[in-house]
């Protein structure tokens, strides 16, 4: 049996690669994709377990293109179907969907297209698939395979159980020859077994990929002053779409209101709104018209938006499953994305109250345990990603380098004395005070709660006034985690000493503590090694504050609006980033960018090239005036090309006066990367730079050698990698331009006019 399929596979795999390049614009399959596609092309039943953003769709879409007939995709959510079909069409692949929202006339025309063999992919809802006559309609077609998306819906154990899914077993009965591909982002064993059994899969090949999402940076911040914390966070994420998950409906609305007051395009979403209001908000978010959604966990299911750049948890989630699913909505395109969790003890108390109210004591117990795991994650002093993955049964063999703990490892010190102060405060309040009140006592705060209980009279009152509230909170959490204290939930969350705690208090044991370095400023995207660790998909990171990137993004939005599709359907953020690095100015160069397939190139490639040309200063009177003036006091701009474009030259003048890039940025209120883009652009046009500020002679030589080794047509990204990220893109461009000027390929004088 194998013999018949074996010789066929290599050529089909080649064909699959060509499809990937031509339609999707990608150079290669991700490691597991290739194996999966081979399995599918060999006619095997296949189960794919891969995290969100892992690239499941390509796994069945590409084989569908290579094989004769139509691939029938079963998908549970109408919105998702619509998105996928739109994305396929944008890539030039013929696809359609049939569900309850599609009118009769359109259904007939889709059916005709199917019969004529014009459709490669047909998306259907399970209800439609199982409805009267539909299966016999399919019988009359050549079906290449069935792809069951979100296959975990079949399992009654899972969180998205859909009874219709259990009837999908009829597919095997009625189409015994057609292979079935089941795909899901849920990995647990029970679900996996259910999928295989219920779909009656015959010896399926199972592909279980790592559930790590290395491009997601993780951090936890203290839950004080959250509104301002969010506002500050957004200052470093201008124009980047994201979701703030809140605990209550009220909170969603309030927070969205406050953000709007600050001029941020924010909306809210929760189950208490009308369907219409909800779908409007969702649509605005998809189209990048809203930057921020403040939502309850009701938001996110069935959202395919690939350029969500961050997720903030305004409150502690109830469990790690939910948390992981919610942060998973960020960075689906593989570009760097951030997950920030605000943690406060008050949230734990509130959640615990909610959970323990459950009538079923077993459920209450289970959920309490889950909450405790969540809390441990939030209070962790070691790599957060390891903790997360361990929760899902996956072992990471080293720290991730892309979480707050890895970036700012806490310092361990002998904390016996501090611990004794805290433990003594607990003892002297007769083990009746909750955590925040103990902090107040240690800090010597004379507030209502303290005075009314007479705590201002005890010996430890104010004993820790030299530290901050956050410090004490953190130390008390550590004492709880290390088992020196426990919480009597039934007694108003009072802190109590354990035996171990008494021992430390009496000086019989030592206690280490960890000092966390809470970053005051928003953390920057990881650089260098951490970034490398963060890009499991092999994609390179660039600073998304680049001027060109912003302009590419604006163009994308404009085109998306013209075509009535969400911006990420036009190009993903990763594709725009690569354009910003490589600056393709020819058809060939543009088609070499990952994510630019033939169809997309034909539809809007030229417009992006035009923009990049403009940016490079070619035909752009608006941005780059052709100024004469090579000396230190350049001549004034020619009158016919006055003010608006002088911004490049203004940066350059300051540079010539000896200011550093940072100083220029500061003085002009621009980002350093914008200043750099001004300088490198003018350098290409013949203006003189003080290159020694950026590169030594050795650097020039090293870059020249590396470029030589790469041969003629290398990408800037390859050079960047080849030099092991030693130089940034600006330095590389300057060095390359320097050589081109030497060779006479670029001017050595600014254009005279
Ligand atoms: P999933 O369905 O598993 O959540 P998607 O199929 O939506 O993931 O893929 C996630 C992102 O990765 C998409 O932007 C997709 O275009 C991109 N992608 C998929 N395969 C590749 C590949 N081989 N090379 C580059 N990008 C890819
Ligand atoms: Zn880590």
């Amino acid at each position: 049996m194998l013999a018949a399929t074996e010789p066929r596979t290599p050529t089909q795999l080649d064909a699959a690669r060509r499809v990937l390049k031509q339609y999707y614009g990608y150079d290669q399959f991700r490691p597991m994709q290739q194996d999966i596609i081979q399995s599918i092309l060999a006619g095997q039943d296949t189960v794919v377990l891969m995290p969100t953003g892992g690239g499941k769709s390509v796994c069945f879409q590409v084989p569908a293109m290579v094989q004769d007939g139509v691939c029938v995709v079963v998908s549970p959510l109408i919105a998702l179907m619509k998105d996928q079909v739109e994305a396929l069409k944008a890539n030039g692949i013929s696809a359609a969907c049939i569900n309850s929202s599609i009118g009769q006339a359109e259904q007939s025309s889709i059916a005709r297209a199917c019969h004529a063999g014009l459709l490669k992919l047909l998306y259907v809802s399970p209800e439609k698939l199982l409805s009267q006559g539909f299966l016999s309609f399919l019988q009359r077609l050549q079906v290449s395979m069935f792809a069951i998306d979100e296959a975990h819906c079949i399992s009654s154990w899972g969180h998205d159980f859909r009874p219709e899914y259990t009837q999908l077993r009829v597919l095997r009965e009625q189409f015994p020859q057609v292979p079935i591909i089941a795909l899901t982002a849920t990995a647990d064993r029970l679900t996996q077994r259910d999928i295989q059994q219920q779909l009656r899969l015959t010896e399926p090949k199972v592909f279980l990929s790592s559930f790590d999402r290395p491009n997601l940076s993780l951090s936890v911040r203290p839950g004080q002053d959250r509104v301002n914390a969010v506002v500050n966070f957004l200052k470093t994420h201008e124009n980047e779409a994201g979701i703030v998950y809140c605990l209550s409906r009220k909170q969603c609305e309030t927070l969205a209101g406050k953000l709007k007051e600050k001029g941020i395009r924010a909306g809210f979403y929760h189950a208490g709104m009308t369907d219409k209001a909800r779908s409007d908000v969702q649509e605005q978010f998809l189209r990048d018209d809203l930057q921020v959604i403040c939502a309850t966990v009701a938001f996110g299911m069935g959202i395919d938006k690939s350029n969500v750049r961050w997720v903030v948890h305004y409150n502690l989630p109830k469990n790690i499953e939910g948390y992981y699913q919610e942060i998973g909505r960020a960075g689906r395109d593989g570009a760097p994305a951030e997950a920030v969790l605000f943690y406060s003890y008050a949230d734990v108390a509130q959640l615990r109250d909610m959970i323990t109210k459950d009538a079923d004591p077993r459920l209450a117990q289970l959920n309490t345990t889950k909450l405790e795991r969540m809390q441990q994650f939030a209070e962790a002093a070691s790599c957060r990603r390891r903790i997360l993955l361990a929760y899902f049964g996956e072992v990471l063999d080293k720290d991730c380098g892309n979480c707050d703990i890895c970036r700012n490892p806490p310092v361990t010190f002998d904390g016996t004395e501090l611990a004794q102060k805290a433990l003594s405060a607990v003892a002297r309040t007769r083990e009746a005070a909750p955590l925040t009140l103990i902090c107040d006592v240690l800090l010597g705060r004379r507030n209502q709660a303290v005075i009314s209980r007479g705590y201002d009279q005890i010996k430890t009152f104010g004993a820790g006034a030299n530290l901050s509230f956050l410090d004490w909170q953190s130390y008390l959490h550590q004492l709880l985690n290390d088992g020196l204290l426990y919480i009597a939930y039934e007694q108003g969350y009072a802190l109590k000493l354990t035996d171990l705690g008494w021992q430390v208090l009496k000086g019989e044991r030592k206690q280490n503590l960890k000092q966390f370095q809470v970053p005051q400023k928003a953390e920057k995207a990881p650089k260098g090694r951490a970034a490398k660790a963060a890009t499991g998909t092999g994609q390179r990171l660039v600073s998304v504050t680049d001027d060109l990137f912003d302009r590419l993004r604006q163009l994308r939005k404009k085109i998306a609006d013209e075509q009535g599709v969400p911006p990420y359907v036009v190009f993903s953020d990763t594709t725009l980033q690569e354009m910003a690095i490589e600056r393709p100015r020819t058809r060939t160069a543009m088609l070499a960018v990952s994510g630019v397939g033939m169809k997309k190139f034909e539809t809007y490639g030229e417009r992006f090239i035009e923009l990049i040309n403009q940016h490079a200063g070619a035909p752009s009177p608006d941005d780059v005036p052709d100024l004469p003036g090579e000396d230190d006091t350049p001549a004034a701009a020619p009158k016919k090309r006055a003010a608006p474009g002088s911004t490049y030259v203004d940066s350059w003048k300051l540079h010539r006066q000896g200011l550093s890039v940072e100083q220029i940025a500061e003085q002009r209120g621009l980002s350093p990367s914008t200043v750099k883009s001004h300088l490198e652009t003018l350098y290409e046009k013949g203006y003189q730079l003080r290159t020694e500020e950026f590169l030594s002679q050795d650097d020039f030589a090293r870059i020249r050698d590396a470029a030589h080794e790469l041969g003629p047509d290398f990408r800037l990204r390859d050079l960047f990698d080849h030099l092991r990220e030693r130089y940034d893109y600006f330095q590389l461009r300057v060095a390359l331009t320097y050589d081109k000027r030497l060779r006479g390929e670029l001017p050595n004088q600014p254009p005279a006019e």
Side-chain angles (χ1 to χ4, degrees), residues 219 324 364 426 448 512:
S219 61
Y324 203 57
V426 173
Q448 177 63 35
N512 281 341

Side-chain angles (χ1 to χ4, degrees), residues 382-386 399-406:
S382 59
C383 176
R384 296 203 200 269
R385 195 175 314 270
R386 291 182 94 156
D399 288 352
C400 76
N402 196 21
C403 73
D404 52 347
I405 303 283
C406 284

Side-chain angles (χ1 to χ4, degrees), residues 20 26 28-30 33 51-58 332-333:
L20 188 73
Y26 298 142
Q28 49 200 350
F29 290 114
R30 292 177 180 160
Q33 281 177 334
T52 310
K56 285 187 286 299
S57 319
V58 161
R332 293 188 59 159
D333 51 13

